[in-house]
Amino acid sequence: MFTADDAPALHRSRVLIAGVTGAGKTTLAKRLAEIWNLRHVEIDALFHGPGWTPRPEFTGDVRAFAAEQSWVTEWQYTSRGTEAILAPRAELVLWLDYPYRVVRARLVRRTVARQLLRTELWNGNRERGITNMFRRDATDNILLWQTRTLHKWAERMPDVEVRHPHLTVVRFRHPRETQRWLARVAAAGS
């Protein structure tokens, strides 16, 4: 596993971005897609159908884009089989392992902003409402979901490295590290 300072800045064609809800996976995926000219596939858009229902075509859609030569996506829905599809094809994993205070603040800002602006997310869906942040069910309360899954990647990543030794894994412990690495990547590409 690499750190931000020793990670190679070499272009990779298939990239997974791991991290807890609110870490900034989609934002990083979009930036990297621009720099490396990769197709960004927002995996939430493939999963959520109208009314927040899971799309039956989800797994087939993931298989289809994973078969392509270049892409970047958020590494999510592992319980829905995405690891078996994406990890064998990926070349690089960028793991956003940021402090709790950082990811919590980001998630609260994002959720409130989306609610206030009535931002359409995927397939007509919008944030479910600020009051959902106080529910006891983690499927409705995104803050509770984040808390329950906060250490998921720290627990899983050693096993990921064993099962997928071809993957280059880079662990970022703070957004400043990610920004430094992205600056190196952008400079290497110009």
Side-chain angles (χ1 to χ4, degrees):
M1 183 175 311
F2 291 97
T3 66
D5 294 325
D6 62 9
L10 300 174
H11 181 280
R12 298 293 192 269
S13 295
R14 292 177 299 280
V15 183
L16 291 170
I17 310 216
V20 71
T21 300
K25 296 180 297 293
T26 300
T27 300
L28 178 57
K30 288 177 182 177
R31 290 188 63 199
L32 202 56
E34 275 183 35
I35 294 169
W36 281 347
N37 195 29
L38 301 173
R39 176 178 177 221
H40 172 226
V41 179
E42 190 169 357
I43 204 159
D44 276 326
L46 298 181
F47 183 76
H48 295 291
W52 295 101
T53 57
R55 294 177 59 252
E57 309 88 351
F58 173 68
T59 304
D61 289 346
V62 172
R63 277 194 185 92
F65 89 75
E68 296 175 11
Q69 287 305 306
S70 65
W71 44 262
V72 58
T73 192
E74 305 81 12
W75 199 357
Q76 301 177 140
Y77 305 106
T78 56
S79 65
R80 301 289 180 134
T82 61
E83 182 170 334
I85 299 167
L86 296 172
R89 292 279 301 148
E91 300 169 329
L92 175 65
V93 174
L94 303 176
W95 175 20
L96 307 181
D97 189 23
Y98 298 160
Y100 172 76
R101 69 185 183 287
V102 171
V103 295
R104 179 58 73 151
R106 284 181 167 193
L107 182 60
V108 169
R109 278 192 308 269
R110 180 187 85 181
T111 302
V112 170
R114 285 176 174 176
Q115 176 65 38
L116 293 175
L117 298 173
R118 301 292 300 142
T119 305
E120 183 176 329
L121 301 173
W122 316 281
N123 301 311
N125 296 310
R126 299 181 193 284
E127 285 290 347
R128 293 181 175 156
I130 294 172
T131 57
N132 280 352
M133 294 188 336
F134 303 102
R135 293 186 184 234
R136 293 179 187 211
D137 182 356
T139 58
D140 291 327
N141 180 337
I142 196 149
L143 298 179
L144 185 56
W145 176 261
Q146 183 190 57
T147 300
R148 288 194 179 163
T149 61
L150 190 62
H151 302 291
K152 175 181 101 167
W153 285 108
E155 294 165 0
R156 292 187 67 233
M157 204 54 79
D159 187 51
V160 165
E161 288 187 300
V162 168
R163 285 184 296 112
H164 306 287
H166 71 283
L167 287 173
T168 299
V169 178
V170 182
R171 184 180 195 176
F172 299 102
R173 299 231 182 213
H174 196 277
R176 285 186 300 268
E177 292 181 358
T178 310
Q179 294 308 317
R180 280 196 316 266
W181 181 80
L182 269 176
R184 286 188 15 239
V185 166
S190 59

PDB file of all heavy atoms in Angstrom, residues 72-94:
ATOM      1  N   VAL A  72     -13.342   5.333 -14.318  1.00  0.00           N
ATOM      2  CA  VAL A  72     -13.133   5.612 -12.899  1.00  0.00           C
ATOM      3  C   VAL A  72     -14.506   5.611 -12.252  1.00  0.00           C
ATOM      4  O   VAL A  72     -15.473   6.127 -12.822  1.00  0.00           O
ATOM      5  CB  VAL A  72     -12.376   6.949 -12.664  1.00  0.00           C
ATOM      6  CG1 VAL A  72     -13.089   8.135 -13.280  1.00  0.00           C
ATOM      7  CG2 VAL A  72     -12.128   7.178 -11.170  1.00  0.00           C
ATOM      8  N   THR A  73     -14.609   4.995 -11.078  1.00  0.00           N
ATOM      9  CA  THR A  73     -15.891   4.939 -10.381  1.00  0.00           C
ATOM     10  C   THR A  73     -15.663   4.835  -8.880  1.00  0.00           C
ATOM     11  O   THR A  73     -14.567   4.524  -8.422  1.00  0.00           O
ATOM     12  CB  THR A  73     -16.753   3.755 -10.877  1.00  0.00           C
ATOM     13  OG1 THR A  73     -18.093   3.914 -10.377  1.00  0.00           O
ATOM     14  CG2 THR A  73     -16.204   2.417 -10.413  1.00  0.00           C
ATOM     15  N   GLU A  74     -16.724   5.090  -8.152  1.00  0.00           N
ATOM     16  CA  GLU A  74     -16.701   4.963  -6.700  1.00  0.00           C
ATOM     17  C   GLU A  74     -16.856   3.476  -6.359  1.00  0.00           C
ATOM     18  O   GLU A  74     -17.685   2.794  -6.944  1.00  0.00           O
ATOM     19  CB  GLU A  74     -17.863   5.761  -6.084  1.00  0.00           C
ATOM     20  CG  GLU A  74     -17.913   7.218  -6.496  1.00  0.00           C
ATOM     21  CD  GLU A  74     -18.557   7.467  -7.860  1.00  0.00           C
ATOM     22  OE1 GLU A  74     -19.190   6.545  -8.431  1.00  0.00           O
ATOM     23  OE2 GLU A  74     -18.416   8.576  -8.373  1.00  0.00           O
ATOM     24  N   TRP A  75     -16.085   3.007  -5.388  1.00  0.00           N
ATOM     25  CA  TRP A  75     -16.167   1.598  -5.007  1.00  0.00           C
ATOM     26  C   TRP A  75     -17.210   1.457  -3.919  1.00  0.00           C
ATOM     27  O   TRP A  75     -16.943   1.653  -2.743  1.00  0.00           O
ATOM     28  CB  TRP A  75     -14.815   1.087  -4.549  1.00  0.00           C
ATOM     29  CG  TRP A  75     -14.723  -0.407  -4.576  1.00  0.00           C
ATOM     30  CD1 TRP A  75     -15.690  -1.301  -4.902  1.00  0.00           C
ATOM     31  CD2 TRP A  75     -13.568  -1.176  -4.270  1.00  0.00           C
ATOM     32  NE1 TRP A  75     -15.227  -2.580  -4.819  1.00  0.00           N
ATOM     33  CE2 TRP A  75     -13.910  -2.533  -4.435  1.00  0.00           C
ATOM     34  CE3 TRP A  75     -12.281  -0.854  -3.870  1.00  0.00           C
ATOM     35  CZ2 TRP A  75     -13.018  -3.566  -4.205  1.00  0.00           C
ATOM     36  CZ3 TRP A  75     -11.393  -1.888  -3.645  1.00  0.00           C
ATOM     37  CH2 TRP A  75     -11.763  -3.222  -3.813  1.00  0.00           C
ATOM     38  N   GLN A  76     -18.402   1.109  -4.326  1.00  0.00           N
ATOM     39  CA  GLN A  76     -19.548   0.967  -3.434  1.00  0.00           C
ATOM     40  C   GLN A  76     -20.337  -0.280  -3.832  1.00  0.00           C
ATOM     41  O   GLN A  76     -20.044  -0.904  -4.841  1.00  0.00           O
ATOM     42  CB  GLN A  76     -20.465   2.197  -3.540  1.00  0.00           C
ATOM     43  CG  GLN A  76     -19.767   3.485  -3.207  1.00  0.00           C
ATOM     44  CD  GLN A  76     -20.664   4.689  -3.386  1.00  0.00           C
ATOM     45  OE1 GLN A  76     -20.596   5.572  -2.583  1.00  0.00           O
ATOM     46  NE2 GLN A  76     -21.480   4.742  -4.407  1.00  0.00           N
ATOM     47  N   TYR A  77     -21.335  -0.584  -3.026  1.00  0.00           N
ATOM     48  CA  TYR A  77     -22.251  -1.696  -3.287  1.00  0.00           C
ATOM     49  C   TYR A  77     -21.520  -3.035  -3.355  1.00  0.00           C
ATOM     50  O   TYR A  77     -21.894  -3.916  -4.137  1.00  0.00           O
ATOM     51  CB  TYR A  77     -23.075  -1.437  -4.565  1.00  0.00           C
ATOM     52  CG  TYR A  77     -23.807  -0.129  -4.494  1.00  0.00           C
ATOM     53  CD1 TYR A  77     -23.375   0.968  -5.229  1.00  0.00           C
ATOM     54  CD2 TYR A  77     -24.907   0.031  -3.654  1.00  0.00           C
ATOM     55  CE1 TYR A  77     -24.021   2.192  -5.140  1.00  0.00           C
ATOM     56  CE2 TYR A  77     -25.565   1.251  -3.555  1.00  0.00           C
ATOM     57  CZ  TYR A  77     -25.112   2.327  -4.305  1.00  0.00           C
ATOM     58  OH  TYR A  77     -25.748   3.535  -4.206  1.00  0.00           O
ATOM     59  N   THR A  78     -20.522  -3.197  -2.505  1.00  0.00           N
ATOM     60  CA  THR A  78     -19.793  -4.470  -2.478  1.00  0.00           C
ATOM     61  C   THR A  78     -20.722  -5.609  -2.063  1.00  0.00           C
ATOM     62  O   THR A  78     -20.546  -6.730  -2.532  1.00  0.00           O
ATOM     63  CB  THR A  78     -18.573  -4.388  -1.543  1.00  0.00           C
ATOM     64  OG1 THR A  78     -18.994  -3.986  -0.244  1.00  0.00           O
ATOM     65  CG2 THR A  78     -17.536  -3.419  -2.092  1.00  0.00           C
ATOM     66  N   SER A  79     -21.703  -5.313  -1.221  1.00  0.00           N
ATOM     67  CA  SER A  79     -22.649  -6.361  -0.816  1.00  0.00           C
ATOM     68  C   SER A  79     -23.571  -6.750  -1.971  1.00  0.00           C
ATOM     69  O   SER A  79     -24.251  -7.768  -1.907  1.00  0.00           O
ATOM     70  CB  SER A  79     -23.482  -5.909   0.381  1.00  0.00           C
ATOM     71  OG  SER A  79     -24.301  -4.808   0.021  1.00  0.00           O
ATOM     72  N   ARG A  80     -23.573  -5.963  -3.034  1.00  0.00           N
ATOM     73  CA  ARG A  80     -24.375  -6.260  -4.233  1.00  0.00           C
ATOM     74  C   ARG A  80     -23.525  -6.888  -5.334  1.00  0.00           C
ATOM     75  O   ARG A  80     -23.945  -6.960  -6.481  1.00  0.00           O
ATOM     76  CB  ARG A  80     -25.028  -4.978  -4.763  1.00  0.00           C
ATOM     77  CG  ARG A  80     -25.935  -4.280  -3.787  1.00  0.00           C
ATOM     78  CD  ARG A  80     -27.208  -5.064  -3.567  1.00  0.00           C
ATOM     79  NE  ARG A  80     -28.079  -4.388  -2.634  1.00  0.00           N
ATOM     80  CZ  ARG A  80     -29.366  -4.217  -2.819  1.00  0.00           C
ATOM     81  NH1 ARG A  80     -29.940  -4.691  -3.898  1.00  0.00           N
ATOM     82  NH2 ARG A  80     -30.077  -3.602  -1.919  1.00  0.00           N
ATOM     83  N   GLY A  81     -22.288  -7.275  -4.991  1.00  0.00           N
ATOM     84  CA  GLY A  81     -21.462  -8.016  -5.936  1.00  0.00           C
ATOM     85  C   GLY A  81     -20.488  -7.195  -6.755  1.00  0.00           C
ATOM     86  O   GLY A  81     -19.848  -7.734  -7.659  1.00  0.00           O
ATOM     87  N   THR A  82     -20.342  -5.907  -6.457  1.00  0.00           N
ATOM     88  CA  THR A  82     -19.463  -5.088  -7.295  1.00  0.00           C
ATOM     89  C   THR A  82     -17.986  -5.445  -7.146  1.00  0.00           C
ATOM     90  O   THR A  82     -17.215  -5.276  -8.090  1.00  0.00           O
ATOM     91  CB  THR A  82     -19.641  -3.590  -7.006  1.00  0.00           C
ATOM     92  OG1 THR A  82     -19.313  -3.326  -5.638  1.00  0.00           O
ATOM     93  CG2 THR A  82     -21.051  -3.132  -7.325  1.00  0.00           C
ATOM     94  N   GLU A  83     -17.583  -5.935  -5.975  1.00  0.00           N
ATOM     95  CA  GLU A  83     -16.162  -6.259  -5.808  1.00  0.00           C
ATOM     96  C   GLU A  83     -15.728  -7.348  -6.786  1.00  0.00           C
ATOM     97  O   GLU A  83     -14.673  -7.247  -7.408  1.00  0.00           O
ATOM     98  CB  GLU A  83     -15.834  -6.680  -4.386  1.00  0.00           C
ATOM     99  CG  GLU A  83     -14.349  -6.954  -4.220  1.00  0.00           C
ATOM    100  CD  GLU A  83     -13.921  -7.133  -2.786  1.00  0.00           C
ATOM    101  OE1 GLU A  83     -14.575  -6.616  -1.876  1.00  0.00           O
ATOM    102  OE2 GLU A  83     -12.906  -7.809  -2.597  1.00  0.00           O
ATOM    103  N   ALA A  84     -16.534  -8.376  -6.931  1.00  0.00           N
ATOM    104  CA  ALA A  84     -16.184  -9.479  -7.829  1.00  0.00           C
ATOM    105  C   ALA A  84     -16.121  -9.024  -9.286  1.00  0.00           C
ATOM    106  O   ALA A  84     -15.409  -9.616 -10.096  1.00  0.00           O
ATOM    107  CB  ALA A  84     -17.199 -10.611  -7.682  1.00  0.00           C
ATOM    108  N   ILE A  85     -16.825  -7.963  -9.612  1.00  0.00           N
ATOM    109  CA  ILE A  85     -16.839  -7.453 -10.985  1.00  0.00           C
ATOM    110  C   ILE A  85     -15.729  -6.421 -11.198  1.00  0.00           C
ATOM    111  O   ILE A  85     -14.985  -6.489 -12.185  1.00  0.00           O
ATOM    112  CB  ILE A  85     -18.210  -6.814 -11.312  1.00  0.00           C
ATOM    113  CG1 ILE A  85     -19.330  -7.851 -11.186  1.00  0.00           C
ATOM    114  CG2 ILE A  85     -18.200  -6.182 -12.702  1.00  0.00           C
ATOM    115  CD1 ILE A  85     -20.730  -7.257 -11.172  1.00  0.00           C
ATOM    116  N   LEU A  86     -15.618  -5.463 -10.268  1.00  0.00           N
ATOM    117  CA  LEU A  86     -14.722  -4.326 -10.476  1.00  0.00           C
ATOM    118  C   LEU A  86     -13.266  -4.583 -10.092  1.00  0.00           C
ATOM    119  O   LEU A  86     -12.355  -4.169 -10.816  1.00  0.00           O
ATOM    120  CB  LEU A  86     -15.249  -3.111  -9.705  1.00  0.00           C
ATOM    121  CG  LEU A  86     -16.605  -2.584 -10.158  1.00  0.00           C
ATOM    122  CD1 LEU A  86     -17.103  -1.503  -9.206  1.00  0.00           C
ATOM    123  CD2 LEU A  86     -16.529  -2.061 -11.582  1.00  0.00           C
ATOM    124  N   ALA A  87     -13.048  -5.210  -8.955  1.00  0.00           N
ATOM    125  CA  ALA A  87     -11.665  -5.368  -8.464  1.00  0.00           C
ATOM    126  C   ALA A  87     -10.771  -6.139  -9.442  1.00  0.00           C
ATOM    127  O   ALA A  87      -9.623  -5.733  -9.653  1.00  0.00           O
ATOM    128  CB  ALA A  87     -11.664  -6.016  -7.091  1.00  0.00           C
ATOM    129  N   PRO A  88     -11.233  -7.222 -10.064  1.00  0.00           N
ATOM    130  CA  PRO A  88     -10.350  -7.913 -11.005  1.00  0.00           C
ATOM    131  C   PRO A  88      -9.953  -7.069 -12.216  1.00  0.00           C
ATOM    132  O   PRO A  88      -8.897  -7.262 -12.794  1.00  0.00           O
ATOM    133  CB  PRO A  88     -11.177  -9.131 -11.445  1.00  0.00           C
ATOM    134  CG  PRO A  88     -12.138  -9.356 -10.334  1.00  0.00           C
ATOM    135  CD  PRO A  88     -12.475  -7.968  -9.832  1.00  0.00           C
ATOM    136  N   ARG A  89     -10.801  -6.120 -12.607  1.00  0.00           N
ATOM    137  CA  ARG A  89     -10.529  -5.278 -13.775  1.00  0.00           C
ATOM    138  C   ARG A  89      -9.767  -4.003 -13.422  1.00  0.00           C
ATOM    139  O   ARG A  89      -9.066  -3.443 -14.268  1.00  0.00           O
ATOM    140  CB  ARG A  89     -11.849  -4.891 -14.450  1.00  0.00           C
ATOM    141  CG  ARG A  89     -12.564  -6.023 -15.102  1.00  0.00           C
ATOM    142  CD  ARG A  89     -12.024  -6.359 -16.467  1.00  0.00           C
ATOM    143  NE  ARG A  89     -12.116  -5.208 -17.359  1.00  0.00           N
ATOM    144  CZ  ARG A  89     -11.251  -4.950 -18.326  1.00  0.00           C
ATOM    145  NH1 ARG A  89     -10.228  -5.738 -18.533  1.00  0.00           N
ATOM    146  NH2 ARG A  89     -11.397  -3.889 -19.097  1.00  0.00           N
ATOM    147  N   ALA A  90      -9.912  -3.529 -12.205  1.00  0.00           N
ATOM    148  CA  ALA A  90      -9.274  -2.272 -11.812  1.00  0.00           C
ATOM    149  C   ALA A  90      -7.759  -2.427 -11.749  1.00  0.00           C
ATOM    150  O   ALA A  90      -7.227  -3.535 -11.609  1.00  0.00           O
ATOM    151  CB  ALA A  90      -9.817  -1.814 -10.461  1.00  0.00           C
ATOM    152  N   GLU A  91      -7.082  -1.291 -11.850  1.00  0.00           N
ATOM    153  CA  GLU A  91      -5.629  -1.245 -11.724  1.00  0.00           C
ATOM    154  C   GLU A  91      -5.192  -0.467 -10.491  1.00  0.00           C
ATOM    155  O   GLU A  91      -4.137  -0.732  -9.940  1.00  0.00           O
ATOM    156  CB  GLU A  91      -5.019  -0.571 -12.957  1.00  0.00           C
ATOM    157  CG  GLU A  91      -5.321  -1.286 -14.241  1.00  0.00           C
ATOM    158  CD  GLU A  91      -4.940  -0.471 -15.459  1.00  0.00           C
ATOM    159  OE1 GLU A  91      -4.993   0.775 -15.404  1.00  0.00           O
ATOM    160  OE2 GLU A  91      -4.581  -1.088 -16.460  1.00  0.00           O
ATOM    161  N   LEU A  92      -6.021   0.480 -10.083  1.00  0.00           N
ATOM    162  CA  LEU A  92      -5.659   1.407  -9.018  1.00  0.00           C
ATOM    163  C   LEU A  92      -6.844   1.623  -8.093  1.00  0.00           C
ATOM    164  O   LEU A  92      -7.970   1.785  -8.552  1.00  0.00           O
ATOM    165  CB  LEU A  92      -5.236   2.753  -9.640  1.00  0.00           C
ATOM    166  CG  LEU A  92      -4.922   3.915  -8.716  1.00  0.00           C
ATOM    167  CD1 LEU A  92      -3.679   3.623  -7.865  1.00  0.00           C
ATOM    168  CD2 LEU A  92      -4.710   5.193  -9.536  1.00  0.00           C
ATOM    169  N   VAL A  93      -6.569   1.618  -6.787  1.00  0.00           N
ATOM    170  CA  VAL A  93      -7.571   1.970  -5.781  1.00  0.00           C
ATOM    171  C   VAL A  93      -7.051   3.191  -5.032  1.00  0.00           C
ATOM    172  O   VAL A  93      -5.942   3.166  -4.490  1.00  0.00           O
ATOM    173  CB  VAL A  93      -7.822   0.822  -4.777  1.00  0.00           C
ATOM    174  CG1 VAL A  93      -8.771   1.281  -3.668  1.00  0.00           C
ATOM    175  CG2 VAL A  93      -8.373  -0.400  -5.468  1.00  0.00           C
ATOM    176  N   LEU A  94      -7.836   4.244  -5.007  1.00  0.00           N
ATOM    177  CA  LEU A  94      -7.536   5.422  -4.208  1.00  0.00           C
ATOM    178  C   LEU A  94      -8.464   5.379  -3.007  1.00  0.00           C
ATOM    179  O   LEU A  94      -9.681   5.451  -3.162  1.00  0.00           O
ATOM    180  CB  LEU A  94      -7.756   6.699  -5.033  1.00  0.00           C
ATOM    181  CG  LEU A  94      -6.956   6.775  -6.328  1.00  0.00           C
ATOM    182  CD1 LEU A  94      -7.320   8.032  -7.099  1.00  0.00           C
ATOM    183  CD2 LEU A  94      -5.464   6.705  -6.049  1.00  0.00           C
TER     184      LEU A  94
END
